[in-house]
Amino acid sequence: MNAPKMSEMLFSLKCFMASMLALYVSLAAGLPRPFWAMMTAYIVASPLSGAVRSKALFRVCGTLIGSIATIIMVPRMANAPELLSLALACWVGLCLYISLLDRTPRSYIFMLAGYTAGLIGFPAVADPSAIFDTGLARVEEITIGILSATVVHSLVFPQGVGPVLLGRLDRALADAQRWMANVLKPGDDQAQAAHTRLALAGEISELRVMSTHLPFDTSQLRWTAGMVHGLHDRLTVMVPLLLAVEDRLNTLREVDPGSLQPWTQLLDDIAAWVEAGREADPARAAQLRARLVQLKPALAAHASWSEILRLNLAQRLDTLIEACEDGLELRSNVSTVMQGGVASYTPHLTPAILHRDHGMAFRSALAAVVAILLCCAFWILTAWPSGAAAPMMAGVLCCFFATQDNPVPAIRMFLKWTVISMPVAAFYILFVLPAVHSYEMLVLVIAPVFLIGGVFMPRPATAGASLAFLIGVAGTLSLQDTGTLDIPGFLNSMTAQLSGFIVAAVITSLIRTVGGDWMANRMLRKARREVAQMAQAASPPPLLHISARMVDRIGLLMPRLAIAHPTPEARATAMDGLRELRVGLHVAQLCGLQQALEQAGVALRPLLQKLGAYFGSGGHAHGQAPAALLDGLDSTLRAVCAVSPATAGEARTQAAAALASMRRDLFPRAAAYQPETAS
């Protein structure tokens, strides 16, 4: 194991300072469970001060909502423990369901509202008369812990989200620019490079979620939230454009390599401009786009497949250069604001809706409800004195790891490190704490365990284990609050907690656990249903929303496909399914052009109906797209080409490009398009 870094030791010291501040304030205020405040300070801790501040706000809101719900439910069902247990379990499940649909840090509000009700409500089942005082005390203790962590992490050597986010954003922009340069000047091992580049989609989604913390940051970057979101949007647009440009160039090199000869110098110049990165001259972009216009072939009535592909390539490259140009301007404005200047350009924000899975959210909620109810049933039937801890812990763990495909390994890890913490906690609770008679002595005796354990929290590989260990120790120290310092009370409490962990693992494995390949296929099925709905809808959602959701899905799918399809051959087959994600963009574009084309005499509705039927029946999951759909695409493309430019204007060329892209995505191995049906 590597020696701790200075940043890790500083983070551990800040966490301990925050927890001790929370403990001191809680003790001074005479709150019943001051160790809960201490434990909360560790739960909300993060190396990034902006993340601590945003999570603090979200957690306080969630705690308040959960406490209010408990105060409303418990008195009304105090005489029916079974009904109260059902109500609390359903509340936890409902809040978990809502939180899983919001894949940003805001989801803490709903998740906390859920399991806070369990933490307060289940112990109150035996004594409901004190529920208001209990709920108020829990809110005060948790809020003190949150505020203490916020103050310490914001004032003591704060590490802002801004620099970290900006560094990752710069790396993502550089990756996109390298990808573009490699596409324009291909090298060796393109198949593996293409697979690696798609990981950029996952990075974009992570950055979009991470930027939620930005308004709460301590750095100057918090004033650039609009520009940072604008950069995300440009990156989001670039991924499908890069995939399209790469495909068009590869296809042209196969079917008509000579047609690219006049393009060689321009492609090299675009690659050189892109490789300059942030030093690229913005004025150069206009020159490159003007040269593209000169090379773009006219769309004749009998245009060949090569001409249509080059037209498509010119349009996609033009949009790609524009996205790069906007990205450079936005990045320059971010630097200006960071240096205290005023930005000259802030994009209009259009909030993107990322991938949502109502079915998996429901399964996660159902697993939490069933696990809680089983623990409650055993607790009520056996009249177990400490049994309230079992449904509490089952609910907490079902919520903690609900975003994973298979949460069972994480729950087992949490169980393992909780068990490891038990001897340490027992030593403190039975031998050390009875001899401690002052706050200063308490700080000294618990410092070694928490300072050493906190060093491992910033490390991704050990963060979960470290937090489980520290929560296990701090949770047991809360027995000091209740005065149950005897061995039977300690064993009862630990057994109940471990029972909750085990029940959560078993029920989760039966109801919630899925494989990565199964989850990938589920996402693709949902994407196909959306394409079918768009093809049949009167007005599709904005292109940016579709692009953001597509890029988000690619980011979610790539790690799963890499595990499920480890060989290059299997991965190539799986990648065909990813092509269908791009079809949604083309369908939305065609729907936007439908009115102009129909006025020019081109009927898009028959093709859209065929697309809706194909994707509605499962799409690529049932094999190659039918020949009838290929015929419909080709006949529509011929009809678009036959339209007079004076009648349809730019809509004609845009539709031809969209149809060509759709043909390549749905039929990558089909024979070349023929301008006229063979006689």
Side-chain angles (χ1 to χ4, degrees):
M1 186 174 292
N2 297 329
K5 301 176 183 176
M6 183 61 68
S7 60
E8 294 170 343
M9 291 190 289
L10 177 61
F11 175 74
S12 179
L13 178 61
K14 288 160 64 176
C15 288
F16 186 69
M17 290 170 59
S19 67
M20 292 301 98
L21 175 61
L23 183 61
Y24 177 81
V25 174
S26 299
L27 287 169
L31 295 177
R33 291 203 170 189
F35 279 99
W36 274 48
M38 170 188 169
M39 185 166 55
T40 301
Y42 272 94
I43 292 174
V44 301
S46 170
L48 304 176
S49 57
V52 175
R53 287 148 65 107
S54 68
K55 287 164 67 176
L57 175 63
F58 300 145
R59 286 178 180 270
V60 168
C61 292
T63 302
L64 282 172
I65 295 171
S67 302
I68 292 170
T70 309
I71 292 170
I72 292 172
M73 283 188 283
V74 172
R76 286 165 174 75
M77 291 173 272
N79 297 323
E82 300 84 358
L83 187 59
L84 178 57
S85 298
L86 176 62
L88 288 171
C90 290
W91 172 260
V92 174
L94 175 63
C95 291
L96 177 59
Y97 172 81
I98 297 172
S99 75
L100 292 175
L101 298 181
D102 183 358
R103 291 175 42 233
T104 71
R106 287 189 302 269
S107 63
Y108 287 127
I109 295 176
F110 308 106
M111 188 178 292
L112 263 291
Y115 69 70
T116 297
L119 293 174
I120 299 172
F122 287 119
V125 171
D127 184 20
S129 61
I131 184 59
F132 182 81
D133 293 336
T134 302
L136 180 61
R138 292 300 88 79
V139 171
E140 291 173 339
E141 292 151 3
I142 293 172
T143 302
I144 287 172
I146 290 171
L147 293 178
S148 299
T150 303
V151 169
V152 172
H153 286 278
S154 298
L155 297 181
V156 180
F157 300 106
Q159 183 180 358
V161 171
V164 177
L165 176 63
L166 200 56
R168 292 183 62 177
L169 200 55
D170 283 340
R171 285 195 296 273
L173 284 167
D175 288 342
Q177 290 167 337
R178 267 194 302 274
W179 183 358
M180 187 172 173
N182 289 337
V183 165
L184 299 175
K185 295 195 302 184
D188 298 329
D189 198 17
Q190 285 297 298
Q192 182 61 32
H195 174 76
T196 304
R197 293 168 195 153
L198 288 178
L200 174 64
E203 181 76 1
I204 293 170
S205 291
E206 288 180 17
L207 287 171
R208 191 180 290 276
V209 172
M210 186 179 178
S211 64
T212 310
H213 299 299
L214 199 55
F216 304 89
D217 198 30
T218 53
S219 70
Q220 284 287 100
L221 198 64
R222 67 182 180 274
W223 308 117
T224 68
M227 287 173 277
V228 170
H229 284 295
L231 279 169
H232 292 155
D233 291 342
R234 301 311 180 274
L235 281 168
T236 296
V237 168
M238 287 173 72
V239 170
L241 288 173
L242 283 165
L243 291 169
V245 168
E246 186 169 30
D247 178 80
R248 301 309 103 84
L249 284 171
N250 290 337
T251 305
L252 283 167
R253 289 177 183 124
E254 291 176 7
V255 302
D256 190 8
S259 65
L260 285 177
Q261 188 63 36
W263 291 66
T264 303
Q265 187 59 50
L266 175 60
L267 294 177
D268 289 344
D269 290 346
I270 295 174
W273 178 73
V274 169
E275 286 175 331
R278 291 171 58 186
E279 304 301 321
D281 181 9
R284 181 73 171 146
Q287 300 172 9
L288 295 171
R289 295 172 69 185
R291 290 168 61 187
L292 265 177
V293 172
Q294 295 174 356
L295 283 175
K296 183 168 70 173
L299 184 62
H302 301 286
S304 67
W305 184 226
S306 173
E307 290 172 328
I308 293 173
L309 287 175
R310 278 179 279 136
L311 173 67
N312 182 291
L313 175 63
Q315 287 194 343
R316 299 299 183 259
L317 270 176
D318 182 80
T319 309
L320 192 55
I321 293 171
E322 182 182 14
C324 289
E325 186 181 13
D326 282 352
L328 287 172
E329 185 178 2
L330 285 168
R331 184 61 184 86
S332 175
N333 280 329
V334 169
S335 297
T336 300
V337 174
M338 291 287 285
Q339 295 166 6
V342 178
S344 59
Y345 167 48
T346 299
H348 175 68
L349 289 182
T350 54
I353 299 174
L354 303 181
H355 172 75
R356 289 175 175 174
D357 192 330
H358 291 267
M360 289 308 298
F362 177 77
R363 288 178 65 163
S364 298
L366 179 63
V369 170
V370 172
I372 291 171
L373 289 179
L374 283 176
C375 291
C376 287
F378 184 78
W379 166 39
I380 293 172
L381 290 173
T382 60
W384 191 359
S386 300
M392 284 168 49
M393 292 299 103
V396 169
L397 287 199
C398 286
C399 291
F400 269 10
F401 306 112
T403 58
Q404 301 179 8
D405 290 346
N406 182 8
V408 175
I411 295 176
R412 287 176 179 166
M413 176 274 296
F414 209 94
L415 172 62
K416 169 187 171 182
W417 284 97
T418 301
V419 171
I420 292 173
S421 74
M422 288 175 62
V424 177
F427 176 74
Y428 271 105
I429 204 77
L430 299 174
F431 301 105
V432 178
L433 292 186
V436 172
H437 301 291
S438 68
Y439 170 78
E440 293 79 9
M441 184 61 69
L442 178 62
V443 173
L444 288 175
V445 298
I446 65 177
V449 170
F450 285 88
L451 285 173
I452 294 173
V455 168
F456 299 97
M457 285 180 62
R459 302 180 183 181
T462 58
S466 175
L467 185 60
F469 177 81
L470 294 178
I471 288 178
V473 175
T476 306
L477 291 180
S478 66
L479 292 175
Q480 164 80 14
D481 301 332
T482 62
T484 55
L485 292 174
D486 57 289
I487 292 179
F490 171 77
L491 293 177
N492 248 317
S493 177
M494 289 297 100
T495 304
Q497 288 188 44
L498 297 181
S499 299
F501 294 166
I502 294 170
V503 171
V506 172
I507 298 302
T508 298
S509 67
L510 295 175
I511 297 178
R512 172 60 181 77
T513 299
V514 296
D517 195 25
W518 185 91
M519 195 67 188
N521 288 328
R522 180 179 176 83
M523 288 185 199
L524 288 173
R525 286 196 300 271
K526 184 171 179 61
R528 291 174 186 127
R529 285 197 300 270
E530 285 189 1
V531 174
Q533 291 167 0
M534 275 191 290
Q536 297 163 359
S539 57
L543 278 172
L544 180 59
H545 288 188
I546 300 171
S547 181
R549 196 149 54 244
M550 183 202 76
V551 170
D552 182 45
R553 284 197 177 111
I554 291 175
L556 294 171
L557 283 166
M558 287 313 300
R560 293 176 169 94
L561 291 177
I563 295 172
H565 304 277
T567 64
E569 296 79 9
R571 193 177 299 134
T573 302
M575 294 294 283
D576 283 344
L578 290 180
R579 287 177 171 268
E580 292 187 333
L581 295 178
R582 307 206 294 264
V583 176
L585 291 172
H586 314 321
V587 170
Q589 190 174 7
L590 285 176
C591 288
L593 299 169
Q594 186 173 1
Q595 183 177 358
L597 291 174
E598 288 183 347
Q599 289 175 352
V602 179
L604 286 181
R605 182 48 49 189
L607 174 62
L608 293 174
Q609 288 175 346
K610 290 179 181 178
L611 286 166
Y614 169 66
F615 283 99
S617 63
H620 179 74
H622 297 297
Q624 181 69 29
L629 181 55
L630 178 60
D631 292 340
L633 271 169
D634 286 352
S635 61
T636 306
L637 184 52
R638 292 187 195 102
V640 168
C641 293
V643 171
S644 169
T647 305
E650 188 63 25
R652 176 173 171 268
T653 56
Q654 291 177 1
L659 289 166
S661 294
M662 191 181 297
R663 193 182 195 276
R664 283 296 306 158
D665 289 334
L666 288 176
F667 301 94
R669 289 173 282 277
Y673 159 83
Q674 299 299 322
E676 294 181 353
T677 307
S679 56

